[in-house]
Amino acid sequence: AIFLLNCRCFFSSSCSYAVSSTIEPFYKGGKVQISKDEKFIFCTCGTRVNVLQIVTGKIVHSIEQDDQEDITSFALSLDDEILVTASKALLLKQWDWKQAQCTRSWRAIHNVPIASMTFDPTATLLATGGCDGTIKLWDVVKQYCTHNLKGSSGVVHLVEFHPDISLLQLFSSASDCGIRMWDLRSSQCLCVLQSHYSPVTSLAFTPDGASMVSSGRDKICTVWDLKSRTARRTVPVYESVVLLPEDEDFSEIGVKTKEIHFITAGSKGICVLRVWDASSARCVFAQTLPSAPSYGDPRSLTYCLPLPSSLRLATVTAEHNILLYQLPSFTTQQQFVGFNDEVLDVKFLGKGDTHIVVATNSSQLKVFDLATSSCKILYGHTDTVLSLDVFKKGSLFVSCAKDKSVRVWRQDPDSGQVCCVAQGCSHANAVGSITCSRMKESFVVSGSQDCTIKVWDLPESIPETDGDMFQLTARVTEKAHDKDVNSVAVSPNDKLLVSGSQDRLAKLWSLGAPGADLALLGVFRGHRRGVWCVQFSPMDQVLASSSADGSVKLWSLQDFSCLKTFEGHDASVLKLIFVSRGTQLLTSGSDGLVKLWTIKTNECVKTLDAHQDKVWGLHATRKDDRVVTASADSNITVWTDVTEVEQAEEQAKQEDQILKKQELSNLLHEKKYLKALGLAISLDQPHTVLKVIKAIRQGENGAKQLEKTVLKLRQDQKESMLRYCAVWNTNARSCLDAQAVIQVMLTHLSPEELLQYQGARAHLEGLIPYTERHMQRIGRLLQASMFLDYMWQKMRVTGAPAR
């Protein structure tokens, strides 16, 4: 096996990877607002407000607090011009969000953090609701506080201006569940609208401003007549409410009258969007979901936001996903994943590895298009998905989860739609690892915390849709280990299976013919702690295993002996894959590092550091040109192999250096000193520059020629010369050349001019002690030469002939 590995070293090996794209958290809960032009989504993420471009799904701006304090609330003016943020440090900041620049900041007069804020329709007044029960109004143009409204009980979590600004009315809601109507002329509370028994979550006004719909956590929507300040009707629905546009035709979803209709979304019971007739309290339309959700379903909706211009609706789920629906069909148009939580596995997907499928700390699966960052959320598992694998063709993949099941999914290569086509449920505990057959789409192997391995045969014709899902049955069930099975892998020829367990062992099994049982061929012993991952080499008769003892071992399949051990991670090695045609290994650990190893030399040739927590996911494309890593820090990083690019750049650089050296030699021969000096400085070769200086000084009229040449240099070239002189001056052999250049610069450049040079102060300070030392040495030489002259004169007098 060692001979085979060494023979394959002539293949080009990777030694450098560069980040090509990342998928990072951009929303971790809190307020979400959509710009008036419906092009951007604003959402909070810790110390930042992120601006997401809806068309591309990319973060185009990130507004971050300088004090690194979490943002408690923010508001965007209705003209999309002003963004104001409030932080835990009790600071209000006004931003030019398109330039990500803070234009003004001031202290909030609140004694505790601000919980809510909003702009009036004219974008001149800003209302802030504090956790101390007070509401303050700010004139953002004249920059002063205009009102201080007291009377609310507890946290003011909702403030809204009446759409008719001439009325100068503000509505607020606090922990006491009432809706207060404030008259801003008198700063008095006109009335308290009482209907809800839990905090109010949203308010929606009709275009004429005569009616308002409120929703609360008590699962009630109330329609208010604002003229009489009474409740017209109470509808038992869910949390968030949005009014349906009046001027559009929604007859296809049951809207037959011109009465007020509103859309509701909530987080308990059936988590669907519903359209209600306010006059009759009747549900006229309910959205249908692929499967019946249960309490606590991840599709639970917490916010509902209208996009009236494009007839769309945005919803925010409990798992921080933002979904855009097209009205009136209520079809999903776009999905954005705000926060992935802990990423447990990731695999490339699609014919050209154009997508990735991601398993997070959730029952959902997420499929990202790498080109556009758009996401499709897959539902099916009822508990956390733990592991993934993809078949050779790339359109069929499998998943396993804590719900004790395995599922087979198919991606349509044209539309990109994904559906579950097969399911198997017979494990007695969570299924922690899964792998596919390598040659054909014929079987799946799963390893579970019940210490067993199961082999599931797939039908010859797998269903195309989830309407006729195939029920898998396990062909083989084998009690494989004494503890959890952490990893399983199938050999490239589909004849062997290896399993790795928490019992510190890896075992090799024969899969045999279809219908045959598993046969144990051998046991790999040597790891001191549990085995996290096992993989077959794609080219040689060896396999690799990684362990919680921080080591990676290479094993022979013939005699089960350990061929090599790789040590370098400071903690558990969680994942490994073979790359570069089996000549290298990529490993990821709980130290957040990814390491590239050359098998022949046992050497770690590259360490990739882009994660802050355990790297659970690691996968390479079929061409080995890209690698994806996923971590518990919620970040997913795609790396591109740039070895060939860097080698080509290095070769081009060397060729360019050779040509420039030849050109430099020609210029010196032709005594074109200015060009020669400029070329030597551009090469950043101080020794070559020194040679040019010596050549100039040794030439005819050297001092004048040097002065003329140095003064013609550009400022950046003079900066480099000053830096070189500081180094040359430390050596007695080159100090005279350094002093000659310094003399020219000090003679013709003013001190103010010199101090503007980059690092000039440090270079000049470095010149002083060595210059003093050279002066002392020259002084001693001068004294010695005068003594010799005196002796010579005396010798001449003594030896003179007598007269």
Side-chain angles (χ1 to χ4, degrees), residues 750-779:
S750 66
E752 292 79 11
E753 232 179 322
L754 269 175
L755 289 174
Q756 288 179 357
Y757 288 5
Q758 188 177 4
R761 189 179 298 274
H763 298 322
L764 292 171
E765 287 177 355
L767 285 167
I768 293 170
Y770 284 99
T771 302
E772 290 176 348
R773 191 180 302 175
H774 297 323
M775 289 297 292
Q776 291 170 3
R777 180 168 52 83
I778 292 171

PDB file of all heavy atoms in Angstrom, residues 750-779:
ATOM      1  N   SER A 750      13.346  69.777   2.349  1.00  0.00           N
ATOM      2  CA  SER A 750      13.129  70.414   3.646  1.00  0.00           C
ATOM      3  C   SER A 750      12.730  69.351   4.679  1.00  0.00           C
ATOM      4  O   SER A 750      12.220  68.285   4.315  1.00  0.00           O
ATOM      5  CB  SER A 750      12.019  71.461   3.526  1.00  0.00           C
ATOM      6  OG  SER A 750      10.781  70.830   3.231  1.00  0.00           O
ATOM      7  N   PRO A 751      12.948  69.644   5.964  1.00  0.00           N
ATOM      8  CA  PRO A 751      12.549  68.685   7.010  1.00  0.00           C
ATOM      9  C   PRO A 751      11.059  68.345   6.953  1.00  0.00           C
ATOM     10  O   PRO A 751      10.680  67.200   7.178  1.00  0.00           O
ATOM     11  CB  PRO A 751      12.902  69.411   8.313  1.00  0.00           C
ATOM     12  CG  PRO A 751      13.981  70.369   7.933  1.00  0.00           C
ATOM     13  CD  PRO A 751      13.680  70.791   6.535  1.00  0.00           C
ATOM     14  N   GLU A 752      10.222  69.338   6.663  1.00  0.00           N
ATOM     15  CA  GLU A 752       8.775  69.080   6.582  1.00  0.00           C
ATOM     16  C   GLU A 752       8.456  68.089   5.475  1.00  0.00           C
ATOM     17  O   GLU A 752       7.605  67.208   5.612  1.00  0.00           O
ATOM     18  CB  GLU A 752       8.015  70.397   6.324  1.00  0.00           C
ATOM     19  CG  GLU A 752       8.039  71.381   7.478  1.00  0.00           C
ATOM     20  CD  GLU A 752       9.360  72.146   7.552  1.00  0.00           C
ATOM     21  OE1 GLU A 752      10.158  72.060   6.593  1.00  0.00           O
ATOM     22  OE2 GLU A 752       9.603  72.817   8.581  1.00  0.00           O
ATOM     23  N   GLU A 753       9.175  68.249   4.337  1.00  0.00           N
ATOM     24  CA  GLU A 753       8.973  67.352   3.199  1.00  0.00           C
ATOM     25  C   GLU A 753       9.392  65.929   3.553  1.00  0.00           C
ATOM     26  O   GLU A 753       8.703  64.948   3.252  1.00  0.00           O
ATOM     27  CB  GLU A 753       9.800  67.858   2.007  1.00  0.00           C
ATOM     28  CG  GLU A 753       8.986  68.003   0.738  1.00  0.00           C
ATOM     29  CD  GLU A 753       9.834  68.535  -0.419  1.00  0.00           C
ATOM     30  OE1 GLU A 753      10.680  69.401  -0.148  1.00  0.00           O
ATOM     31  OE2 GLU A 753       9.633  68.057  -1.539  1.00  0.00           O
ATOM     32  N   LEU A 754      10.533  65.805   4.202  1.00  0.00           N
ATOM     33  CA  LEU A 754      11.057  64.481   4.570  1.00  0.00           C
ATOM     34  C   LEU A 754      10.139  63.767   5.557  1.00  0.00           C
ATOM     35  O   LEU A 754       9.917  62.550   5.455  1.00  0.00           O
ATOM     36  CB  LEU A 754      12.453  64.629   5.189  1.00  0.00           C
ATOM     37  CG  LEU A 754      13.650  64.549   4.229  1.00  0.00           C
ATOM     38  CD1 LEU A 754      14.933  64.833   4.968  1.00  0.00           C
ATOM     39  CD2 LEU A 754      13.710  63.181   3.561  1.00  0.00           C
ATOM     40  N   LEU A 755       9.591  64.508   6.512  1.00  0.00           N
ATOM     41  CA  LEU A 755       8.750  63.890   7.538  1.00  0.00           C
ATOM     42  C   LEU A 755       7.414  63.397   6.990  1.00  0.00           C
ATOM     43  O   LEU A 755       6.720  62.625   7.648  1.00  0.00           O
ATOM     44  CB  LEU A 755       8.512  64.882   8.687  1.00  0.00           C
ATOM     45  CG  LEU A 755       9.731  65.157   9.579  1.00  0.00           C
ATOM     46  CD1 LEU A 755       9.423  66.259  10.574  1.00  0.00           C
ATOM     47  CD2 LEU A 755      10.155  63.880  10.305  1.00  0.00           C
ATOM     48  N   GLN A 756       7.054  63.844   5.792  1.00  0.00           N
ATOM     49  CA  GLN A 756       5.837  63.338   5.165  1.00  0.00           C
ATOM     50  C   GLN A 756       6.038  61.949   4.552  1.00  0.00           C
ATOM     51  O   GLN A 756       5.067  61.258   4.256  1.00  0.00           O
ATOM     52  CB  GLN A 756       5.363  64.315   4.076  1.00  0.00           C
ATOM     53  CG  GLN A 756       4.789  65.607   4.632  1.00  0.00           C
ATOM     54  CD  GLN A 756       4.351  66.554   3.527  1.00  0.00           C
ATOM     55  OE1 GLN A 756       4.524  66.256   2.339  1.00  0.00           O
ATOM     56  NE2 GLN A 756       3.782  67.693   3.915  1.00  0.00           N
ATOM     57  N   TYR A 757       7.296  61.556   4.381  1.00  0.00           N
ATOM     58  CA  TYR A 757       7.570  60.233   3.815  1.00  0.00           C
ATOM     59  C   TYR A 757       7.156  59.148   4.811  1.00  0.00           C
ATOM     60  O   TYR A 757       7.280  59.312   6.033  1.00  0.00           O
ATOM     61  CB  TYR A 757       9.053  60.087   3.495  1.00  0.00           C
ATOM     62  CG  TYR A 757       9.523  60.888   2.289  1.00  0.00           C
ATOM     63  CD1 TYR A 757       8.651  61.756   1.629  1.00  0.00           C
ATOM     64  CD2 TYR A 757      10.824  60.776   1.818  1.00  0.00           C
ATOM     65  CE1 TYR A 757       9.084  62.483   0.531  1.00  0.00           C
ATOM     66  CE2 TYR A 757      11.261  61.504   0.719  1.00  0.00           C
ATOM     67  CZ  TYR A 757      10.380  62.368   0.080  1.00  0.00           C
ATOM     68  OH  TYR A 757      10.790  63.085  -0.998  1.00  0.00           O
ATOM     69  N   GLN A 758       6.681  58.047   4.283  1.00  0.00           N
ATOM     70  CA  GLN A 758       6.229  56.946   5.130  1.00  0.00           C
ATOM     71  C   GLN A 758       7.400  56.358   5.933  1.00  0.00           C
ATOM     72  O   GLN A 758       8.397  55.933   5.379  1.00  0.00           O
ATOM     73  CB  GLN A 758       5.596  55.843   4.264  1.00  0.00           C
ATOM     74  CG  GLN A 758       4.935  54.739   5.072  1.00  0.00           C
ATOM     75  CD  GLN A 758       4.264  53.728   4.157  1.00  0.00           C
ATOM     76  OE1 GLN A 758       4.354  53.818   2.939  1.00  0.00           O
ATOM     77  NE2 GLN A 758       3.599  52.763   4.747  1.00  0.00           N
ATOM     78  N   GLY A 759       7.258  56.363   7.250  1.00  0.00           N
ATOM     79  CA  GLY A 759       8.295  55.808   8.131  1.00  0.00           C
ATOM     80  C   GLY A 759       9.548  56.643   8.205  1.00  0.00           C
ATOM     81  O   GLY A 759      10.590  56.149   8.675  1.00  0.00           O
ATOM     82  N   ALA A 760       9.498  57.894   7.754  1.00  0.00           N
ATOM     83  CA  ALA A 760      10.710  58.731   7.701  1.00  0.00           C
ATOM     84  C   ALA A 760      11.297  58.949   9.087  1.00  0.00           C
ATOM     85  O   ALA A 760      12.523  58.876   9.274  1.00  0.00           O
ATOM     86  CB  ALA A 760      10.382  60.075   7.048  1.00  0.00           C
ATOM     87  N   ARG A 761      10.460  59.212  10.080  1.00  0.00           N
ATOM     88  CA  ARG A 761      10.956  59.497  11.427  1.00  0.00           C
ATOM     89  C   ARG A 761      11.756  58.307  11.964  1.00  0.00           C
ATOM     90  O   ARG A 761      12.849  58.468  12.508  1.00  0.00           O
ATOM     91  CB  ARG A 761       9.781  59.818  12.355  1.00  0.00           C
ATOM     92  CG  ARG A 761      10.200  60.338  13.722  1.00  0.00           C
ATOM     93  CD  ARG A 761       8.961  60.645  14.555  1.00  0.00           C
ATOM     94  NE  ARG A 761       8.162  61.691  13.941  1.00  0.00           N
ATOM     95  CZ  ARG A 761       8.378  62.986  14.125  1.00  0.00           C
ATOM     96  NH1 ARG A 761       9.384  63.391  14.897  1.00  0.00           N
ATOM     97  NH2 ARG A 761       7.606  63.887  13.549  1.00  0.00           N
ATOM     98  N   ALA A 762      11.209  57.109  11.797  1.00  0.00           N
ATOM     99  CA  ALA A 762      11.895  55.911  12.302  1.00  0.00           C
ATOM    100  C   ALA A 762      13.210  55.681  11.556  1.00  0.00           C
ATOM    101  O   ALA A 762      14.230  55.326  12.168  1.00  0.00           O
ATOM    102  CB  ALA A 762      10.988  54.695  12.157  1.00  0.00           C
ATOM    103  N   HIS A 763      13.196  55.884  10.226  1.00  0.00           N
ATOM    104  CA  HIS A 763      14.419  55.668   9.444  1.00  0.00           C
ATOM    105  C   HIS A 763      15.504  56.672   9.847  1.00  0.00           C
ATOM    106  O   HIS A 763      16.684  56.297   9.994  1.00  0.00           O
ATOM    107  CB  HIS A 763      14.135  55.794   7.947  1.00  0.00           C
ATOM    108  CG  HIS A 763      13.148  54.777   7.442  1.00  0.00           C
ATOM    109  ND1 HIS A 763      13.124  53.482   7.899  1.00  0.00           N
ATOM    110  CD2 HIS A 763      12.159  54.866   6.500  1.00  0.00           C
ATOM    111  CE1 HIS A 763      12.159  52.814   7.279  1.00  0.00           C
ATOM    112  NE2 HIS A 763      11.557  53.634   6.425  1.00  0.00           N
ATOM    113  N   LEU A 764      15.130  57.941  10.005  1.00  0.00           N
ATOM    114  CA  LEU A 764      16.108  58.972  10.370  1.00  0.00           C
ATOM    115  C   LEU A 764      16.668  58.735  11.769  1.00  0.00           C
ATOM    116  O   LEU A 764      17.865  58.935  12.008  1.00  0.00           O
ATOM    117  CB  LEU A 764      15.459  60.356  10.280  1.00  0.00           C
ATOM    118  CG  LEU A 764      15.095  60.827   8.855  1.00  0.00           C
ATOM    119  CD1 LEU A 764      14.270  62.099   8.895  1.00  0.00           C
ATOM    120  CD2 LEU A 764      16.351  61.026   8.006  1.00  0.00           C
ATOM    121  N   GLU A 765      15.797  58.318  12.686  1.00  0.00           N
ATOM    122  CA  GLU A 765      16.282  58.010  14.033  1.00  0.00           C
ATOM    123  C   GLU A 765      17.241  56.833  14.017  1.00  0.00           C
ATOM    124  O   GLU A 765      18.197  56.776  14.796  1.00  0.00           O
ATOM    125  CB  GLU A 765      15.093  57.713  14.947  1.00  0.00           C
ATOM    126  CG  GLU A 765      14.288  58.954  15.317  1.00  0.00           C
ATOM    127  CD  GLU A 765      13.074  58.625  16.171  1.00  0.00           C
ATOM    128  OE1 GLU A 765      12.819  57.408  16.390  1.00  0.00           O
ATOM    129  OE2 GLU A 765      12.375  59.554  16.611  1.00  0.00           O
ATOM    130  N   GLY A 766      17.006  55.882  13.116  1.00  0.00           N
ATOM    131  CA  GLY A 766      17.898  54.732  12.984  1.00  0.00           C
ATOM    132  C   GLY A 766      19.233  55.101  12.354  1.00  0.00           C
ATOM    133  O   GLY A 766      20.247  54.414  12.585  1.00  0.00           O
ATOM    134  N   LEU A 767      19.249  56.165  11.572  1.00  0.00           N
ATOM    135  CA  LEU A 767      20.495  56.592  10.920  1.00  0.00           C
ATOM    136  C   LEU A 767      21.470  57.235  11.911  1.00  0.00           C
ATOM    137  O   LEU A 767      22.690  57.115  11.759  1.00  0.00           O
ATOM    138  CB  LEU A 767      20.176  57.597   9.810  1.00  0.00           C
ATOM    139  CG  LEU A 767      19.579  57.040   8.511  1.00  0.00           C
ATOM    140  CD1 LEU A 767      19.029  58.170   7.648  1.00  0.00           C
ATOM    141  CD2 LEU A 767      20.624  56.260   7.726  1.00  0.00           C
ATOM    142  N   ILE A 768      20.942  57.898  12.935  1.00  0.00           N
ATOM    143  CA  ILE A 768      21.782  58.716  13.827  1.00  0.00           C
ATOM    144  C   ILE A 768      22.867  57.910  14.549  1.00  0.00           C
ATOM    145  O   ILE A 768      24.068  58.259  14.463  1.00  0.00           O
ATOM    146  CB  ILE A 768      20.908  59.491  14.819  1.00  0.00           C
ATOM    147  CG1 ILE A 768      20.067  60.538  14.070  1.00  0.00           C
ATOM    148  CG2 ILE A 768      21.755  60.165  15.904  1.00  0.00           C
ATOM    149  CD1 ILE A 768      18.992  61.194  14.914  1.00  0.00           C
ATOM    150  N   PRO A 769      22.543  56.829  15.289  1.00  0.00           N
ATOM    151  CA  PRO A 769      23.612  56.137  16.056  1.00  0.00           C
ATOM    152  C   PRO A 769      24.691  55.545  15.168  1.00  0.00           C
ATOM    153  O   PRO A 769      25.885  55.621  15.509  1.00  0.00           O
ATOM    154  CB  PRO A 769      22.850  55.045  16.823  1.00  0.00           C
ATOM    155  CG  PRO A 769      21.551  54.891  16.124  1.00  0.00           C
ATOM    156  CD  PRO A 769      21.222  56.212  15.541  1.00  0.00           C
ATOM    157  N   TYR A 770      24.316  54.975  14.014  1.00  0.00           N
ATOM    158  CA  TYR A 770      25.328  54.392  13.123  1.00  0.00           C
ATOM    159  C   TYR A 770      26.178  55.474  12.474  1.00  0.00           C
ATOM    160  O   TYR A 770      27.385  55.307  12.267  1.00  0.00           O
ATOM    161  CB  TYR A 770      24.651  53.520  12.057  1.00  0.00           C
ATOM    162  CG  TYR A 770      24.193  52.191  12.594  1.00  0.00           C
ATOM    163  CD1 TYR A 770      22.866  51.988  12.947  1.00  0.00           C
ATOM    164  CD2 TYR A 770      25.096  51.142  12.764  1.00  0.00           C
ATOM    165  CE1 TYR A 770      22.438  50.775  13.453  1.00  0.00           C
ATOM    166  CE2 TYR A 770      24.675  49.915  13.265  1.00  0.00           C
ATOM    167  CZ  TYR A 770      23.352  49.737  13.614  1.00  0.00           C
ATOM    168  OH  TYR A 770      22.950  48.524  14.109  1.00  0.00           O
ATOM    169  N   THR A 771      25.554  56.612  12.159  1.00  0.00           N
ATOM    170  CA  THR A 771      26.318  57.725  11.571  1.00  0.00           C
ATOM    171  C   THR A 771      27.348  58.246  12.567  1.00  0.00           C
ATOM    172  O   THR A 771      28.505  58.544  12.202  1.00  0.00           O
ATOM    173  CB  THR A 771      25.365  58.856  11.142  1.00  0.00           C
ATOM    174  OG1 THR A 771      24.425  58.332  10.202  1.00  0.00           O
ATOM    175  CG2 THR A 771      26.124  60.004  10.497  1.00  0.00           C
ATOM    176  N   GLU A 772      26.942  58.354  13.825  1.00  0.00           N
ATOM    177  CA  GLU A 772      27.884  58.783  14.858  1.00  0.00           C
ATOM    178  C   GLU A 772      29.042  57.792  14.990  1.00  0.00           C
ATOM    179  O   GLU A 772      30.210  58.183  15.161  1.00  0.00           O
ATOM    180  CB  GLU A 772      27.157  58.933  16.200  1.00  0.00           C
ATOM    181  CG  GLU A 772      26.205  60.127  16.239  1.00  0.00           C
ATOM    182  CD  GLU A 772      25.428  60.191  17.545  1.00  0.00           C
ATOM    183  OE1 GLU A 772      25.475  59.184  18.313  1.00  0.00           O
ATOM    184  OE2 GLU A 772      24.756  61.216  17.793  1.00  0.00           O
ATOM    185  N   ARG A 773      28.730  56.518  14.920  1.00  0.00           N
ATOM    186  CA  ARG A 773      29.773  55.497  15.011  1.00  0.00           C
ATOM    187  C   ARG A 773      30.739  55.604  13.828  1.00  0.00           C
ATOM    188  O   ARG A 773      31.959  55.488  13.999  1.00  0.00           O
ATOM    189  CB  ARG A 773      29.126  54.111  15.043  1.00  0.00           C
ATOM    190  CG  ARG A 773      30.093  52.995  15.404  1.00  0.00           C
ATOM    191  CD  ARG A 773      29.388  51.643  15.416  1.00  0.00           C
ATOM    192  NE  ARG A 773      28.276  51.651  16.352  1.00  0.00           N
ATOM    193  CZ  ARG A 773      27.432  50.620  16.480  1.00  0.00           C
ATOM    194  NH1 ARG A 773      27.586  49.548  15.694  1.00  0.00           N
ATOM    195  NH2 ARG A 773      26.454  50.671  17.349  1.00  0.00           N
ATOM    196  N   HIS A 774      30.205  55.843  12.618  1.00  0.00           N
ATOM    197  CA  HIS A 774      31.059  55.991  11.436  1.00  0.00           C
ATOM    198  C   HIS A 774      31.937  57.241  11.573  1.00  0.00           C
ATOM    199  O   HIS A 774      33.133  57.214  11.195  1.00  0.00           O
ATOM    200  CB  HIS A 774      30.214  56.094  10.162  1.00  0.00           C
ATOM    201  CG  HIS A 774      29.411  54.869   9.871  1.00  0.00           C
ATOM    202  ND1 HIS A 774      29.872  53.594  10.106  1.00  0.00           N
ATOM    203  CD2 HIS A 774      28.158  54.731   9.336  1.00  0.00           C
ATOM    204  CE1 HIS A 774      28.941  52.724   9.760  1.00  0.00           C
ATOM    205  NE2 HIS A 774      27.896  53.388   9.283  1.00  0.00           N
ATOM    206  N   MET A 775      31.386  58.311  12.119  1.00  0.00           N
ATOM    207  CA  MET A 775      32.165  59.543  12.317  1.00  0.00           C
ATOM    208  C   MET A 775      33.321  59.322  13.289  1.00  0.00           C
ATOM    209  O   MET A 775      34.449  59.807  13.076  1.00  0.00           O
ATOM    210  CB  MET A 775      31.240  60.652  12.836  1.00  0.00           C
ATOM    211  CG  MET A 775      30.253  61.188  11.814  1.00  0.00           C
ATOM    212  SD  MET A 775      31.045  61.993  10.402  1.00  0.00           S
ATOM    213  CE  MET A 775      31.735  63.436  11.217  1.00  0.00           C
ATOM    214  N   GLN A 776      33.027  58.573  14.371  1.00  0.00           N
ATOM    215  CA  GLN A 776      34.092  58.276  15.334  1.00  0.00           C
ATOM    216  C   GLN A 776      35.190  57.443  14.682  1.00  0.00           C
ATOM    217  O   GLN A 776      36.389  57.666  14.915  1.00  0.00           O
ATOM    218  CB  GLN A 776      33.504  57.542  16.546  1.00  0.00           C
ATOM    219  CG  GLN A 776      32.602  58.415  17.415  1.00  0.00           C
ATOM    220  CD  GLN A 776      31.856  57.612  18.460  1.00  0.00           C
ATOM    221  OE1 GLN A 776      32.062  56.398  18.571  1.00  0.00           O
ATOM    222  NE2 GLN A 776      30.984  58.277  19.215  1.00  0.00           N
ATOM    223  N   ARG A 777      34.819  56.468  13.891  1.00  0.00           N
ATOM    224  CA  ARG A 777      35.811  55.616  13.225  1.00  0.00           C
ATOM    225  C   ARG A 777      36.647  56.431  12.252  1.00  0.00           C
ATOM    226  O   ARG A 777      37.875  56.290  12.183  1.00  0.00           O
ATOM    227  CB  ARG A 777      35.076  54.487  12.479  1.00  0.00           C
ATOM    228  CG  ARG A 777      35.980  53.522  11.739  1.00  0.00           C
ATOM    229  CD  ARG A 777      35.203  52.294  11.298  1.00  0.00           C
ATOM    230  NE  ARG A 777      33.989  52.641  10.566  1.00  0.00           N
ATOM    231  CZ  ARG A 777      33.964  52.934   9.272  1.00  0.00           C
ATOM    232  NH1 ARG A 777      35.098  52.937   8.579  1.00  0.00           N
ATOM    233  NH2 ARG A 777      32.832  53.219   8.672  1.00  0.00           N
ATOM    234  N   ILE A 778      35.985  57.323  11.487  1.00  0.00           N
ATOM    235  CA  ILE A 778      36.717  58.173  10.536  1.00  0.00           C
ATOM    236  C   ILE A 778      37.650  59.118  11.287  1.00  0.00           C
ATOM    237  O   ILE A 778      38.773  59.403  10.858  1.00  0.00           O
ATOM    238  CB  ILE A 778      35.725  58.939   9.636  1.00  0.00           C
ATOM    239  CG1 ILE A 778      35.003  57.953   8.711  1.00  0.00           C
ATOM    240  CG2 ILE A 778      36.431  60.007   8.831  1.00  0.00           C
ATOM    241  CD1 ILE A 778      33.848  58.550   7.941  1.00  0.00           C
ATOM    242  N   GLY A 779      37.194  59.613  12.452  1.00  0.00           N
ATOM    243  CA  GLY A 779      38.046  60.487  13.265  1.00  0.00           C
ATOM    244  C   GLY A 779      39.308  59.772  13.725  1.00  0.00           C
ATOM    245  O   GLY A 779      40.414  60.359  13.692  1.00  0.00           O
TER     246      GLY A 779
END
